[in-house]
Amino acid sequence: MTGYSEALIDHFEHPRNAGAMDDPDAEAFVTNPVCGDSMRIFLRIEDERVAAASFLTSGCPASIGTSSAATELVTGRTLDEAVALTREDYADAVGGLPKSKIHCSVLAAAAVREAVETWRKEHADAAAGAAS
Ligand code: FES
């Protein structure tokens, strides 16, 4: 795996928080339009904060490594902090990515945002329903 950092290779070979989560509070499935690789993320949300995260990714080492790093990065953060993380933050978390692989960190950023947005929408709808 030429061009990958030691951190990326470590995340790829020993993914953190890999696997589905039982009864998650939020989840999202995203596909990278460039290559077709995909990621499903699961979040446990408590008090507007990510209490736990896990993932299933079908893709290249860079997408699996950044998915793994993303679950560590978002855990403990507020939802605002989690959605503010960029693909550059996820790439930095694995020691950077080779130029040809920069697009691979898009999956993690998109999945986190979509999961949080879906959760917020569901809870806004629930709150609106409770108020009516
Ligand atoms: Fe598809 Fe990396 S080549 S995400």
Side-chain angles (χ1 to χ4, degrees):
M1 291 194 288
T2 53
Y4 288 130
S5 69
E6 279 183 30
L8 185 284
I9 293 169
D10 185 51
H11 273 281
F12 174 64
E13 292 182 341
H14 310 286
R16 282 49 145 195
N17 308 305
M21 180 186 287
D22 287 337
D23 201 20
D25 296 304
E27 66 179 279
F29 177 78
V30 296
T31 300
N32 189 324
V34 176
C35 60
D37 290 350
S38 62
M39 174 186 187
R40 188 178 295 277
I41 193 165
F42 306 88
L43 300 179
R44 176 93 51 235
I45 298 173
E46 294 172 1
D47 298 329
E48 296 270 325
R49 198 173 278 276
V50 178
S54 71
F55 77 98
L56 292 170
T57 293
S58 169
C60 68
S63 65
I64 291 169
T66 51
S67 296
S68 168
T71 62
E72 291 191 325
L73 265 185
V74 299
T75 299
R77 292 186 191 260
T78 66
L79 298 185
D80 284 342
E81 290 169 343
V83 296
L85 291 167
T86 64
R87 66 181 190 172
E88 288 83 5
D89 292 322
Y90 296 118
D92 288 348
V94 292
L97 292 171
K99 255 196 176 121
S100 64
K101 290 293 191 178
I102 285 174
H103 73 274
C104 305
S105 57
V106 169
L107 272 182
V112 168
R113 286 195 189 124
E114 189 172 317
V116 171
E117 280 168 17
T118 302
W119 183 88
R120 282 179 161 158
K121 186 174 182 317
E122 286 171 2
H123 282 71
D125 290 349
S132 60

